Amino acid sequence: MHDWTTIIKATTVKDPASGAVNTPIHLSSTFYQADFDHFGEFDYSRSGNPTRQVGEAAVATLEGGKHGFLFSTGMAAISSVLEIFSQGDHLLVSKFVYGGTFRILTEVLNRFGITHTFVDPTDLAAVEAAIRPNTRAIYIETPSNPVLAVTDIGAVAELARRHNLLTIADNTFMSPVLQKPLALGVDIVVHSATKFLSGHSDILAGAAITNDDALADRIYFIQNAFGATLGVTDTFLLLRGIKTLGVRMAASSKAALALATWLQAQPQVTRVCYPGLEGDAGHAIQAKQAVNGGAVLSFDVGSEANARILAESLTIPEFSVSLGGAESILSYPPKMSHAEMSPAEQLACGITPGLLRFSVGLEDPRDLQADLAQGLAKLK
Ligand SMILES: Cc1ncc(COP(=O)(O)O)c(C=O)c1O
């Protein structure tokens, strides 16, 4: 089956009790047990819930995985996956990770003795040189937030396997219709399902997917022990949002390529980061491992002052954090998603003062381009 069909089949699961084509929202924290000695499949919703089970199976199917887990937020998914490690374990982490992932590593997990080294995942020799006897995993995010740096997923996974390490990949920016890290050798995929998977800027959600039974047991143990599970109403909305994932990603990524190409030719724009562009540093690897460049791009207008003028001039995109909604979203990473990093740390990751991130929604791209043109015309 092709992805678009798989998406619909995975999210249209008939209710065994009624035949309803949409999974009911099972608003029950507890489940009746008929037998004193033998309990049924569900007993308490933190441990398992029929609505969440359908959502978890759907995200697993989409990623080509056996086991899916849904969490209350993307950070809950990432934190829970990282909690499978123990005191004394060391992780190699892409220096391009999302600010919240940076925060959990540098300000929480380090307090529990889970240490990390940030590495440039585009430099495999440097990644290999950073491996220590207690290193357990390599954590990547590709394309990265917000500069869309591309990591060669297969090459990192192969390096990790040679050293008996796990590979964990944040696939938020691509979604499973554009990129399937498990098929490229990754052990665990994580998502902020808040973004493209749900697709409507209405819920917070996170997902983790694996093919490995033993890893799935470890993730399930943490999911149940830590308890950051996705609520059932949000699971319903996630399933509903996923139904249009294929068409949304196709439309938004086509528009993103058109806008990136156009932005490149504008004199006020000093840099465009979009791996769908042939001249982009990550283009060749992106073309090998993903369907296209995705629906997010970033571009530099030279200074914070210009970024401010543009943000205040645009009328179509919402100026806000987040991405992956039906509406286009313009954000300013230095003060938003990556505010956790010091200016020096930001610069080391290519987050310059004039950088804006554009998550391309479902508006007509001609209107988005016209809006950008009138905004750019106001820059100094
Ligand atoms: C790539 C990436 N990973 C993880 C997260 C965290 O997800 P959430 O905000 O759903 O906790 C985000 C949020 O922006 C993100 O962009």
Side-chain angles (χ1 to χ4, degrees):
M1 252 192 299
H2 295 92
D3 272 353
W4 289 19
T5 315
T6 305
I7 287 169
I8 301 302
K9 297 309 282 177
T11 52
T12 311
V13 178
K14 285 181 256 326
D15 174 38
S18 65
V21 296
N22 288 309
T23 298
I25 301 173
H26 288 279
L27 277 167
S28 194
S29 57
T30 187
F31 297 84
Y32 169 73
Q33 306 299 331
D35 184 316
F36 188 85
D37 293 311
H38 304 99
F39 291 178
E41 183 179 4
F42 301 102
D43 59 1
Y44 188 60
S45 275
R46 173 159 39 73
S47 314
N49 175 287
T51 309
R52 197 172 78 235
Q53 187 181 58
V54 172
E56 291 183 327
V59 293
T61 303
L62 263 53
E63 282 288 0
K66 250 169 95 179
H67 308 279
F69 302 92
L70 289 176
F71 296 89
S72 52
T73 66
M75 281 322 303
I78 292 167
S79 308
S80 299
V81 163
L82 293 178
E83 279 174 36
I84 68 172
F85 299 105
S86 302
Q87 188 174 32
D89 288 350
H90 172 254
L91 310 171
L92 291 178
V93 181
S94 162
K95 70 173 187 171
F96 299 113
V97 286
Y98 167 66
T101 309
F102 178 88
R103 175 169 48 203
I104 198 90
L105 288 158
T106 56
E107 294 188 47
V108 182
L109 291 174
N110 57 335
R111 291 196 282 108
F112 297 93
I114 299 171
T115 57
H116 60 270
T117 303
F118 287 112
V119 287
D120 179 350
T122 61
D123 182 351
L124 285 179
V127 176
E128 188 158 28
I131 296 173
R132 300 180 188 168
N134 60 338
T135 304
R136 299 283 174 260
I138 307 179
Y139 184 104
I140 57 174
E141 181 184 314
T142 182
S144 71
N145 184 8
V147 294
L148 290 305
V150 176
T151 298
D152 188 331
I153 301 174
V156 169
E158 195 273 324
L159 171 70
R161 237 189 336 271
R162 259 195 290 124
H163 290 271
N164 210 15
L165 310 177
L166 296 176
T167 310
I168 304 167
D170 184 331
N171 201 27
T172 299
F173 267 51
M174 285 285 99
S175 93
V177 285
L178 298 187
Q179 178 171 277
K180 292 191 176 59
L182 294 179
L184 300 167
V186 162
D187 299 287
I188 304 170
V189 170
V190 291
H191 274 280
S192 170
T194 309
K195 310 290 165 23
F196 291 107
L197 282 173
S198 67
H200 294 75
S201 303
D202 50 3
I203 60 163
L204 294 174
I209 300 108
T210 184
N211 261 321
D212 183 290
D213 296 346
L215 275 179
D217 285 348
R218 287 164 73 188
I219 298 169
Y220 175 72
F221 182 84
I222 300 292
Q223 185 192 38
N224 186 38
F226 198 62
T229 53
L230 188 62
V232 289
T233 309
D234 287 352
T235 304
F236 179 90
L237 288 170
L238 176 62
L239 282 164
R240 180 177 163 131
I242 288 174
K243 283 181 194 291
T244 53
L245 179 68
V247 285
R248 282 188 285 108
M249 293 313 289
S252 291
S253 49
K254 186 172 169 214
L257 175 61
L259 287 176
T261 307
W262 178 80
L263 278 168
Q264 252 188 333
Q266 304 313 303
Q268 304 91 335
V269 176
T270 58
R271 174 171 61 129
V272 178
C273 307
Y274 182 68
L277 289 173
E278 276 180 17
D280 189 90
H283 180 71
I285 297 169
Q286 183 73 7
K288 182 179 77 170
Q289 67 191 16
V291 172
N292 60 36
V296 182
L297 58 101
S298 56
F299 60 101
D300 197 316
V301 287
S303 65
E304 178 174 344
N306 272 347
R308 181 188 300 273
I309 295 171
L310 190 64
E312 288 173 353
S313 305
L314 296 186
T315 60
I316 298 179
E318 305 300 330
F319 183 60
S320 59
V321 297
S322 204
L323 55 106
E327 66 292 329
S328 288
I329 296 176
L330 182 80
S331 70
Y332 184 58
K335 285 189 194 290
M336 291 177 163
S337 55
H338 291 67
E340 278 307 309
M341 293 181 168
S342 69
E345 284 163 342
Q346 291 181 358
L347 273 184
C349 298
I351 305 171
T352 42
L355 192 77
L356 287 157
R357 191 185 72 196
F358 201 109
S359 167
V360 181
L362 298 173
E363 304 90 347
D364 191 311
R366 291 169 296 187
D367 294 328
L368 292 173
Q369 183 178 314
D371 197 23
L372 281 163
Q374 66 77 22
L376 288 174
K378 298 197 171 115
L379 301 193
K380 312 246 183 283

